[in-house]
Amino acid sequence: MNAFRALAVLLIAVAAAGCGKSGSPPVKGPQPEDLPVYQVDTGFQLPASRTWEKAERRGHLVVGVKEDQPYLGEKDPSGGRYSGFDIEIAKMLSASLGFDPKTVEFRTIASANRETALQNGQIDYYVGTYTINDNRKKQVGFAGPYFMAGQSLLVRRNDDDIKGPGDLAGKKVCSAAGSTPYQRLQREFPKAVLVAYDTYSVCVDNLLTYQVDAVSTDDSILLGYAAKVPEELKVVGEPFSKEPYGIGVPRGDNALRFALDDALEAQEKNGNWKKAYEATLGLSGVPAPTPPPIDRYPAS
Ligand code: GLU
């Protein structure tokens, strides 16, 4: 851990503990009693899926996630427990596939490594702010979408220069390598000076220490960082893209993809999706939206 990262982790920890400067109130974290309890579908079978069969032999699912995105996918540094909306999606789908959600083995995989992790069989599926697009569909499959985000900008609270993507000329803008926001900045805002790291939390550390002027990625991710240190950070402007979040699966495992689509639909209908949202991502300030329609595209 470098010095900047250590400083920011400390800043966030201090704010989260509620003993920040000028007596800032404690930031509410996900409360376990607010989370839904997912009913395990014990009789579930999916012999047509190689991935499911492998998990069945292993006895549990291995799911790729993020570990540093507040209210979405976060790993508690002491106990190593994962929490957040993406984690709840992963768990509710595990229950639908017949595996006790308590047994899910989470693996942190950065944005740039998701396709490889799915192709190598390192993970069974991936739930981590993963935008569905045609380019990625050549390499992996996507169930969902289960949420709609949009690209936005995070700046320091005292910054009055950057109000939207039109103000980025000559500014240092940080995003994650291999992400769609990074690619969009490169393509549509060539006057911005781009900085790439593996994770957004490193970008946020760089923003807090004046190494960069803005962080750009999905509004859902940025609102979480801003909610953790509202006295230091703010999200500005309107979202300038559509980022439908999918569940990444190995390409060609259509049986698994369709089973996840069915499971997601059922979990949206029975109220678990909304309850999970409200106990996690809802804490960054946006009320539960209607989930986007599922795109059950033909077998490929
Ligand atoms: N949703 C965007 C993407 O899939 C940005 C978030 C991320 O890097 O996970 O690239």
Side-chain angles (χ1 to χ4, degrees), residues 66 69 111 114 128-131 136 179-181 200 217-218 221 243 245:
K66 296 289 181 68
Q69 299 184 171
S111 295
R114 294 182 280 211
T129 61
Y130 196 10
T131 295
R136 288 175 177 168
S179 70
T180 49
Y200 300 108
T217 184
D218 304 337
I221 301 173
E243 309 289 331
Y245 287 173

Short mmCIF file of all heavy atoms in Angstrom, two decimals, residues 66 69 111 114 128-131 136 179-181 200 217-218 221 243 245, ligand 1:
data_model
loop_
_atom_site.label_atom_id
_atom_site.label_comp_id
_atom_site.label_asym_id
_atom_site.label_seq_id
_atom_site.Cartn_x
_atom_site.Cartn_y
_atom_site.Cartn_z
N LYS A 66 -16.04 -6.98 -7.07
CA LYS A 66 -15.14 -5.88 -6.69
C LYS A 66 -15.07 -5.83 -5.16
O LYS A 66 -15.99 -6.31 -4.49
CB LYS A 66 -15.66 -4.55 -7.21
CG LYS A 66 -15.73 -4.43 -8.73
CD LYS A 66 -14.35 -4.34 -9.33
CE LYS A 66 -14.38 -4.20 -10.84
NZ LYS A 66 -14.92 -2.92 -11.31
N GLN A 69 -15.70 -0.88 -3.90
CA GLN A 69 -16.72 0.02 -4.42
C GLN A 69 -17.86 0.13 -3.40
O GLN A 69 -18.67 -0.79 -3.26
CB GLN A 69 -17.20 -0.50 -5.78
CG GLN A 69 -16.04 -0.54 -6.79
CD GLN A 69 -16.42 -0.94 -8.21
OE1 GLN A 69 -15.59 -0.84 -9.11
NE2 GLN A 69 -17.64 -1.40 -8.43
N SER A 111 -11.46 -4.61 -13.16
CA SER A 111 -12.18 -4.40 -14.43
C SER A 111 -11.45 -5.03 -15.63
O SER A 111 -12.07 -5.69 -16.46
CB SER A 111 -12.37 -2.91 -14.68
OG SER A 111 -13.21 -2.37 -13.68
N ARG A 114 -11.71 -9.19 -16.07
CA ARG A 114 -12.96 -9.94 -15.96
C ARG A 114 -13.12 -10.98 -17.06
O ARG A 114 -13.49 -12.14 -16.79
CB ARG A 114 -14.14 -8.97 -16.00
CG ARG A 114 -14.15 -8.07 -14.79
CD ARG A 114 -15.33 -7.13 -14.79
NE ARG A 114 -15.15 -5.98 -15.64
CZ ARG A 114 -15.70 -4.79 -15.40
NH1 ARG A 114 -16.46 -4.61 -14.34
NH2 ARG A 114 -15.50 -3.78 -16.21
N GLY A 128 -20.06 -7.34 -10.77
CA GLY A 128 -19.28 -6.20 -10.30
C GLY A 128 -19.33 -5.05 -11.27
O GLY A 128 -18.38 -4.83 -12.03
N THR A 129 -20.44 -4.31 -11.27
CA THR A 129 -20.61 -3.09 -12.09
C THR A 129 -20.14 -3.32 -13.53
O THR A 129 -19.44 -2.49 -14.10
CB THR A 129 -19.87 -1.87 -11.46
OG1 THR A 129 -18.46 -2.13 -11.38
CG2 THR A 129 -20.40 -1.55 -10.09
N TYR A 130 -20.55 -4.46 -14.09
CA TYR A 130 -20.01 -4.92 -15.37
C TYR A 130 -20.98 -4.56 -16.50
O TYR A 130 -22.04 -5.17 -16.64
CB TYR A 130 -19.85 -6.44 -15.26
CG TYR A 130 -18.99 -7.12 -16.28
CD1 TYR A 130 -18.18 -6.41 -17.16
CD2 TYR A 130 -18.95 -8.52 -16.34
CE1 TYR A 130 -17.37 -7.08 -18.07
CE2 TYR A 130 -18.15 -9.19 -17.24
CZ TYR A 130 -17.36 -8.45 -18.11
OH TYR A 130 -16.56 -9.12 -19.01
N THR A 131 -20.62 -3.56 -17.29
CA THR A 131 -21.48 -3.10 -18.38
C THR A 131 -21.58 -4.12 -19.51
O THR A 131 -20.56 -4.63 -19.99
CB THR A 131 -20.94 -1.77 -18.95
OG1 THR A 131 -21.03 -0.77 -17.93
CG2 THR A 131 -21.72 -1.31 -20.18
N ARG A 136 -17.84 -6.80 -25.56
CA ARG A 136 -17.60 -7.79 -24.51
C ARG A 136 -18.35 -9.08 -24.77
O ARG A 136 -17.89 -10.15 -24.37
CB ARG A 136 -17.99 -7.19 -23.15
CG ARG A 136 -17.00 -6.14 -22.68
CD ARG A 136 -17.45 -5.47 -21.40
NE ARG A 136 -16.44 -4.53 -20.93
CZ ARG A 136 -16.64 -3.63 -19.98
NH1 ARG A 136 -17.84 -3.55 -19.40
NH2 ARG A 136 -15.68 -2.82 -19.61
N SER A 179 -12.02 -0.29 -18.56
CA SER A 179 -13.43 0.03 -18.27
C SER A 179 -14.05 0.80 -19.44
O SER A 179 -13.35 1.44 -20.22
CB SER A 179 -13.54 0.86 -16.99
OG SER A 179 -13.03 2.16 -17.20
N THR A 180 -15.37 0.74 -19.53
CA THR A 180 -16.06 1.50 -20.58
C THR A 180 -15.94 3.02 -20.37
O THR A 180 -15.80 3.75 -21.35
CB THR A 180 -17.54 1.08 -20.70
OG1 THR A 180 -18.14 1.09 -19.40
CG2 THR A 180 -17.67 -0.32 -21.27
N PRO A 181 -15.96 3.53 -19.12
CA PRO A 181 -15.77 4.98 -18.95
C PRO A 181 -14.40 5.45 -19.45
O PRO A 181 -14.29 6.52 -20.06
CB PRO A 181 -15.89 5.18 -17.43
CG PRO A 181 -16.71 4.03 -16.97
CD PRO A 181 -16.34 2.88 -17.86
N TYR A 200 -10.87 1.98 -8.95
CA TYR A 200 -11.34 3.35 -8.74
C TYR A 200 -10.91 3.90 -7.38
O TYR A 200 -10.77 5.10 -7.22
CB TYR A 200 -12.87 3.41 -8.89
CG TYR A 200 -13.29 2.97 -10.27
CD1 TYR A 200 -13.93 1.76 -10.47
CD2 TYR A 200 -13.00 3.76 -11.38
CE1 TYR A 200 -14.28 1.33 -11.74
CE2 TYR A 200 -13.34 3.35 -12.66
CZ TYR A 200 -13.98 2.13 -12.83
OH TYR A 200 -14.31 1.72 -14.10
N THR A 217 -16.32 7.46 -13.74
CA THR A 217 -16.87 6.13 -13.96
C THR A 217 -18.37 6.21 -13.74
O THR A 217 -18.94 7.32 -13.77
CB THR A 217 -16.18 5.04 -13.10
OG1 THR A 217 -16.74 3.77 -13.48
CG2 THR A 217 -16.40 5.24 -11.60
N ASP A 218 -19.02 5.09 -13.44
CA ASP A 218 -20.47 5.08 -13.28
C ASP A 218 -20.91 5.90 -12.06
O ASP A 218 -20.26 5.86 -11.01
CB ASP A 218 -20.95 3.64 -13.10
CG ASP A 218 -20.51 2.75 -14.24
OD1 ASP A 218 -20.23 3.28 -15.34
OD2 ASP A 218 -20.42 1.53 -14.04
N ILE A 221 -21.11 4.14 -8.68
CA ILE A 221 -19.83 3.93 -7.97
C ILE A 221 -19.40 5.25 -7.32
O ILE A 221 -19.03 5.29 -6.13
CB ILE A 221 -18.74 3.44 -8.95
CG1 ILE A 221 -19.15 2.11 -9.61
CG2 ILE A 221 -17.40 3.32 -8.25
CD1 ILE A 221 -18.21 1.63 -10.71
N GLU A 243 -25.01 2.54 -18.82
CA GLU A 243 -24.19 1.40 -18.44
C GLU A 243 -25.10 0.33 -17.82
O GLU A 243 -25.32 0.32 -16.60
CB GLU A 243 -23.13 1.83 -17.41
CG GLU A 243 -22.29 3.04 -17.79
CD GLU A 243 -21.29 2.79 -18.91
OE1 GLU A 243 -20.82 1.64 -19.05
OE2 GLU A 243 -20.98 3.75 -19.66
N TYR A 245 -25.85 -2.99 -16.18
CA TYR A 245 -25.01 -3.97 -15.48
C TYR A 245 -25.51 -5.39 -15.72
O TYR A 245 -26.67 -5.72 -15.46
CB TYR A 245 -25.03 -3.72 -13.98
CG TYR A 245 -24.26 -2.50 -13.53
CD1 TYR A 245 -24.32 -2.09 -12.19
CD2 TYR A 245 -23.45 -1.77 -14.41
CE1 TYR A 245 -23.61 -0.97 -11.76
CE2 TYR A 245 -22.74 -0.66 -13.98
CZ TYR A 245 -22.83 -0.26 -12.65
OH TYR A 245 -22.13 0.83 -12.21
N1 GLU B 1 -19.52 -0.25 -15.79
C1 GLU B 1 -18.24 0.11 -16.31
C2 GLU B 1 -17.52 -1.07 -16.91
O1 GLU B 1 -18.02 -2.15 -16.89
C3 GLU B 1 -17.38 0.80 -15.28
C4 GLU B 1 -17.31 0.13 -13.95
C5 GLU B 1 -16.24 -0.92 -13.85
O2 GLU B 1 -15.10 -0.71 -14.32
O3 GLU B 1 -16.54 -1.96 -13.27
O4 GLU B 1 -16.46 -0.94 -17.47
#
